[in-house]
Amino acid sequence: MSGAGGLLPQGASYGGLVSTVADPLMLRPAGRRYWIAFGVTFVMTLGFVGCIAWLFIKGIGIFGNNTTIVWGFPIANYVWWVGIGNAGTLISSMLLLTRQPWRAAINRFAEAMTLFAVSIAGLFPILHLGRPYLAYWLAPYPNTMQLWPQWRSALVWDFWAILAYLLFSIMFFTLGLLPDLATLRDRAETRAGQVVYGALAMGWRGSARHWALHDSVYRAMAAMAVPLVVSVHSVVGMDFAAGLMPGWQESIFPPYFVVGALFSGFAMVVLLAALMRRGFGLESVLTTRHFESMAKVILAASIVMGLSYLTEWFMSWYAGERAERTFLIHQLTGDDAALYWSMLACNVLAPHVLWFTRARRSVAILIVVSLLVNVGMWMERILIIWDTLSHDYLPSMWRPWYATIWDWAVLAGSLGFFAFMFMCFARLLPVVAMHDLSRLLYRQRGGA
Amino acid sequence: MAQIFPRYANTLARAVLLGAAVLLVGGLGLLIAMPYTSHATRQDIVIEQPIQFSHEHHVGGLGVACRYCHTSVEQSRFAGIPPTHTCMTCHSQIWTNAAILAPVRRSLAENAPIHWQRVHVLPDYVFFDHSVHVTNGVGCSTCHGAIDTMPQVRQVAPLTMGWCLDCHRNPAPNLRPASEIYDMDWKPPADQAERGPALLAHYGIKPEHLTDCSRCHR
Amino acid sequence: MTDAPSLTRRQAALGLLASAVSLSACGKPAEEIVPYVEQPERIVPGVPLRFATSLALNGYGRGVIVSSIEGRPTKVEGNAGHPASLGSTDAFAEAAVLSLYDPDRSRAVREGTRIASWDGFLTALRPRLRRFEATGGEGLRLLTGHVTSPTLLRLMGQVQARYPAMRWHGYEPIGDSNARAGAVLAFGRPLASLAQLDRAVVVLALDADPLGPGPDQIRHARGFAAHRTARWENKAALSRFYAAEPVLTATGAKADHRLAATPTLVRDLAIALASRLGSGRPAPVLPPEAQRFLDAAAADLQSRPGEALVLVGEWQPPEVHALAHWINARLGAPVEHIEPVGPAEPPAPLDALIEALAAKQVDTLVVLGANPAYDASAGFAQALGGSGAFSVHFGPYHDETAALCRWHLPESHPLEDWGDLRATDGTASLAQPLILPLYNTRSAPWLLGALLGTDEATAHAAVRDTWAAQRPPETFEAWWRQVLHDGVVADSAAPRVTPPPSALPDLAPPVAPAELTLVLRPDPSVWDGCFANNAWLQECPKPLTRQVWGNAAMLSPEDARRRKLSNGDVVRLALGGRQIDAPVLVRPGTAPGVVALTLGYGRRRAGAIGDGLGADAYALRSPDAPWIMAGLTMEGTGGRTNLLFEQPDRRLEGEARALFPTVRADELARGESRPPVWPPSLNPDRVSDTHAWAMVIDTSLCIGCNACVIACQSENNVPVVGPDEVARGREMHWLRIDTYDLGPPEDPRPGFQPVPCMHCEHAPCEPVCPVEASIHDAEGLNVQVYNRCIGTRFCQANCPYKVRRFNWFGYADGQEYANQGAPVLAAQRNPEVTVRARGVMEKCTYCTQRISAARRSAEREGREIGAREVVTACQSACPSQAITFGDLKHPDSPITALRREPQHYALLGHLGTRPRTTYLAAVRNPNPAAEEGGS
């Protein structure tokens, strides 16, 4: 997909593009719909904080976990959020390197999404600890106990992966933001706006030298981003693959988790894109062409997911291990079978509607598919934990698992928190990279 | 349009960035350093006791042997704190009316135990055993310091896990012959480098296993 | 009398407060050291003392040795010198120490509902006693349980002598009336018979459960083990067990051939066997399967004269007992007979008392160690209520009977005062106090003394007098000290008597088989209900069903299917006008047409733990046929309750069958001895230059009695979690006894597989822990460092054996179940073991504190640890000695040989975890002749 056809409105001008993006922030008031949404997400955020407080007071026992199934919602949520967090940086970096013109309009809020998703994901491993106040023991630092973390543990790898990814995303995001902050500074009506945006813009003047430096650094970081993104979710995959449990000890997990992340991540981007488009009247810059491109990625990812599932089943049978086979049978016919099949429907079946151009171009259909994919991916995460832990080697310890109200509350709370942060972002920063758009327009007009 | 920022803004920005970095690093450093301070380890803090018992006077001055009061140090995890009766073996004869001994007499009269304040506090998940240490060449003063010079007992060693491990990793420099365990001013002799390994062999200590978690934690 | 303080004060006086070690005490709070005022002799702070004493079950004594740390009894272990203990314990004995600290124990004398004083009681009693002296005790009634204590019998004799007209009634809910009556039928007088399993090689158990819970369980288990310990080098023939029983029991589970038989069929089998042996009575027609079973059993029995034995359970009617006596006489079976242990002539039955109460002939009733208002037929409560008698209840709890009596007197716990008991074989043993009474309680001798007019009688004096009377005063002191040390009175076993030739009973005409028969049984967790308030026992998974916190009506799968019932459906059981509601538990192995229920549940005044759990089977019990009642009706109520199990899934089918290998005796003989072989591994081998601890568990010896489970719990400060948590699939037991049905539903042939931590050499839990809280030590222990654990639970997620346990809440740390957080319970904690905080993982440690103690004493004394010096709690408890623990590096350690046995296997060994805990496969010794019978 090269060439920028259909990515920009006809007769677009630099000023026009900028004001499409900036005016909602600078000039237009938020409006009732925004404030209602803001209020709702704010309440949900407070709820999230409340749940966490209760969790710390009462203890981890408020979740549905039991002696056999020691992991539950928190870990599933963690994996799910990291997955979503992956897409943003992938989009802006990989698409940048592969010179995909349709990147321009979506990379900004995709990166924002990454930031928020990853910070939420980072919370869950701490929330699920029996003694969360000792989480810092995962960090290597000289201490009076003369003890260090255990480098063989996938959880320590996790710790570093998430930390590195979070810091990187923040830097990548801010770097990309600089020119637009400057634009906002210049367009700001109020003194406060000028000062704040000005301070954040760090004296960006848009000189040729600035642009040159910016580009080289930005591309360099993009190049670093790709392996980082891939490694992050591979490590998450290894949390399970490094285990001994049937359904976990599979070498396919790392790549399969990365694709899964891309899958759910893009689905989430589609949802947000649709929202932005509607909310800020960005129809002109977020065109059907964008959605179509993303739809294709989702379709491709879903096919790879399907293959991964097939491989899993084959290996379970081929491994010749009793527990593996019992596990597979349980997965396909056991207590959670219904969940498993609906997961397959969401992840493998539903996206195939995107073979049709009409479907790819219809935002409504895309929204439905994306929702299904995100739900499906969450179900996959939780099933990876339940199915394996509830049916591993010794039948004597096979147990059912029931989610408690708190499991759901924390999940909902995290969603609310995510939405809340996004609401704030949408009103304070340009949701679309204005300078990238202008550059696209420049290229379109035959510039280099 | 007018300039938003004055000239010094750039300097200010740089200063802020630098300051933030310094604050971050410094703060972490402080947090890491905190547990090593004597404030955290409660070293050299003198704790108010119900009775101003002076080891300096009894041990240093009168030369009362450690085990006269701490009877179980060779058989038990606990060195043992003397029952009131032990005090009274002497103080029924001497200083019978000393005001400072009033709590002891009261304890005996009312058959109510004396509530001493613990000075050397180990966390409850640490199972330290006095007997295996004193019977394997670790003397009192190695951990407790020169008790015979203390009017009020205070904790001289940090008693941190790292401090324990220092010796558990390499006990040889701190080992003494059985005859000198209760010697309060024992200093490693010049040839401790030779004596140490010999004592290790003599006591049959296998240092390579002294750092197993199960040695102190159960 | 306030509650907690009395203890804390005592603790202080008892020396260093090293009691409850708790992780929550992180950081360094101000701590006090409270030395003695006068240090008692022999007490060295931190060094436990061990005293021999004895505990009662059904009035029979079992010798135990109790560890006491700074004056706090913390652990019960077996007394090798005592014939009913032989060094082992059962679940009840192990749990006794928790009952001692039970916060719900009665602490005060009560008159009606208000708190009174001992003197108050005496002043109320005296005028009546004076009157009785005039009337010779007319209207004075004494009600006790089964009494074997020589001292109590002596004192009661004196009371009887003082008040000739007094009447003594005895009632034991789990008595031996059928056996007595049977003996009378056979021998003309009530002889007690002691089966000697250790001398029997062919055993037929007719509705008998020698390996089940009871005063003789340990002795029988040891006898069973004598001929079932299959070892490669001694190719000795194994014994063979046949069992015919309506409900699956431990004996049935271990039997080589088992027949699920209704009570009537069991009776027919006995008659048929007798006629086979020449009784001359017509043999009833048996169903083909039963016929095959009997043919095989009879042939086997006859082929081993002198070593063949037929056992009949107390539950069977007297005539069947009599038949068994006759058969055993014919077979020359290894059975010894003694005069019944206890009073010379049995006390009057409870019914007589009830009549007397109803007829208002009772002026004063003293209830001593009995709870008839709960465990006798409902008649008692009504009669007592209407009688207006001056009723006195003397017992450890303010229970159902206490609530009805005018006076309640709190009784001391057996570990708090002096006493003496006789074992089932008559051996006498002393009970000595391990601790002063925690509350203002007194013991039975005091009460009997009061009846005799002495207000200050002490148990100590009473017991000494009893025994001093039989010895020359000059030697008595030495003798007394010796007995206190041994815990047993030497050569005090009842003399064996040769019974008169046993007569054949004349048999009642066979009753028409009823559609449903109710079968009652003692409960393996709460026995007759007296242990109902013991949280350890309530949460102890019952053998074979693994149910906790309640009982259930057990049905055969056929009946369940026919009536469309499934686990948890509440049914209404009605019998002779009495009825209760109970949840259904479908248990394969139950004979069709039989509904089985255990006693001891549905307590109303047991305490915070035991109240309102399960269904009260006593409500259905009829005094004339206490165990087997035909004519039961059962219909569903539509209600459902959630039965609680610690092992929801008991089937083991298909490939999974390999998890519990079984070997036939002849195959074993053909096997060869070799060290265990492990699959190749990329991990470096663990070469140990010091000790290498390992455990071998012989599944053919394990009878699933749970002694090890409770022993582990009391040794290692393992908290209970309570029914709600169990319902959520959480528990804390470090040691679980996996019970698998290996056969089809009609013949489940369960196998017991105790599963502690495997202490894998290549432990999957270790590399995954991010903070190295799960780590190996040099001696091969897989160590869990609680204070390092942050609770990621990755270790348990990655443990193929799922032996790790997580503190979801502060089960021992501020969020205890019900009254388990009471300060007094802290006194039971083992100070050598950390009490785990909320949010940390824990698991079996091979009793590392015991290893450490041995190592430290060895280091103190400059010697090596002995081959049998370290004994884990589970090992020391095991009645059948199925658990062996030792050092693989020690030349004389038995462990190495066991790991070379042909039937030796490692659970999930193919995973390459190289477990240090390994197993010996269950060896079965089926009768080739009966094989095609499937048996």
Side-chain angles (χ1 to χ4, degrees), chain A residues 425-438:
Chain A
F425 157 75
R427 280 305 292 177
L428 299 174
L429 297 171
V431 295
V432 172
M434 298 180 277
H435 65 93
D436 281 335
L437 279 182
S438 320

Side-chain angles (χ1 to χ4, degrees), chain A residues 55-71 128-135 137-138 145 147-150 152-156 239-240 242-245 248 321-322 325 389 392-400 404, chain C residues 23 26 646-649 651-652 655-656 659 728-731 736 738 740 764 766-772 786-794 796-802 804-809 815 838-841 907-908 910-911 913:
Chain A
L55 173 67
F56 287 172
I57 295 166
K58 287 297 282 185
I60 189 79
I62 65 174
F63 291 138
N65 307 7
N66 61 38
T67 304
T68 305
I69 307 165
V70 287
W71 285 352
H128 107 115
L129 288 182
R131 302 201 290 169
Y133 46 90
L134 294 177
W137 279 357
L138 263 73
M145 302 175 287
L147 292 174
W148 301 96
Q150 137 105 288
R152 292 181 301 167
S153 168
L155 294 184
V156 172
D239 286 354
F240 303 100
L244 182 65
M245 293 293 111
W248 282 6
E321 156 71 45
R322 183 220 10 126
R325 272 199 294 274
L389 290 182
D392 61 9
Y393 292 98
L394 293 186
S396 63
M397 289 301 281
W398 288 353
R399 299 256 167 102
T404 65
Chain C
L23 270 187
C26 291
E646 280 197 6
Q647 183 186 349
D649 216 323
R651 290 166 294 104
L652 206 56
E655 299 173 282
L659 291 172
R728 299 169 73 173
R730 300 169 180 174
E731 78 269 50
R736 63 175 200 263
D738 284 351
Y740 293 116
E766 286 170 11
V768 296
C769 176
V771 290
E772 282 187 323
Y786 311 122
N787 41 305
R788 179 66 174 167
C789 177
I790 62 175
T792 68
R793 312 191 290 289
F794 205 161
Q796 168 75 337
N798 206 33
C799 173
Y801 309 95
K802 291 282 174 279
R804 298 177 150 258
R805 300 290 176 262
F806 188 71
N807 290 273
W808 297 103
F809 290 118
Q815 291 169 300
R838 182 176 91 189
V840 305
M841 190 63 78
L907 188 57
L908 297 177
H910 68 283
L911 294 178
T913 51

Side-chain angles (χ1 to χ4, degrees), chain B:
Chain B
M1 62 191 243
Q3 281 294 338
I4 307 168
F5 295 100
R7 278 216 145 282
Y8 62 81
N10 291 343
T11 338
L12 191 64
R14 292 203 182 81
V16 168
L17 288 178
L18 190 68
V22 169
L23 221 62
L24 188 71
V25 176
L28 286 177
L30 207 63
L31 282 178
I32 291 173
M34 198 55 121
Y36 290 90
T37 61
S38 63
H39 171 72
T41 58
R42 303 203 337 176
Q43 261 162 290
D44 298 325
I45 296 171
V46 172
I47 297 168
E48 188 58 27
Q49 297 288 359
I51 300 162
Q52 300 296 312
F53 177 83
S54 163
H55 278 80
E56 182 184 35
H57 170 64
H58 287 85
V59 184
L62 304 174
V64 179
C66 307
R67 281 168 296 176
Y68 183 78
C69 298
H70 306 294
T71 48
S72 56
V73 72
E74 282 175 336
Q75 310 126 48
S76 169
R77 271 168 59 196
F78 307 106
I81 298 295
T84 313
H85 261 253
T86 309
C87 312
M88 293 311 273
T89 44
C90 298
H91 289 294
S92 55
Q93 319 297 329
I94 53 173
W95 299 109
T96 45
N97 300 324
I100 191 173
L101 292 174
V104 184
R105 293 193 293 273
R106 199 180 315 117
S107 158
L108 189 70
E110 298 166 2
N111 188 28
I114 303 168
H115 287 239
W116 299 94
Q117 294 302 311
R118 192 180 272 280
V119 175
H120 298 83
V121 183
L122 291 180
D124 291 340
Y125 47 77
V126 176
F127 292 82
F128 174 83
D129 187 323
H130 275 94
S131 62
V132 283
H133 286 85
V134 295
T135 53
N136 285 281
V138 181
C140 309
S141 60
T142 303
C143 306
H144 292 289
I147 290 281
D148 59 342
T149 65
M150 300 182 191
Q152 287 277 283
V153 174
R154 58 183 200 286
Q155 168 189 332
V156 292
L159 298 188
T160 59
M161 178 168 164
W163 173 81
C164 296
L165 283 172
D166 290 339
C167 188
H168 271 226
R169 290 205 178 96
N170 175 23
N174 303 307
L175 291 183
R176 333 175 172 183
S179 55
E180 294 164 36
I181 295 297
Y182 302 97
D183 177 355
M184 272 303 149
D185 40 24
W186 181 84
K187 303 271 172 300
D191 59 348
Q192 179 70 8
E194 292 82 58
R195 287 166 178 252
L199 286 164
L200 268 185
H202 165 70
Y203 290 116
I205 302 171
K206 297 202 192 77
E208 59 273 29
H209 301 323
L210 284 180
T211 52
D212 285 355
C213 305
S214 49
R215 282 295 169 129
C216 312
H217 301 300
R218 302 173 217 145

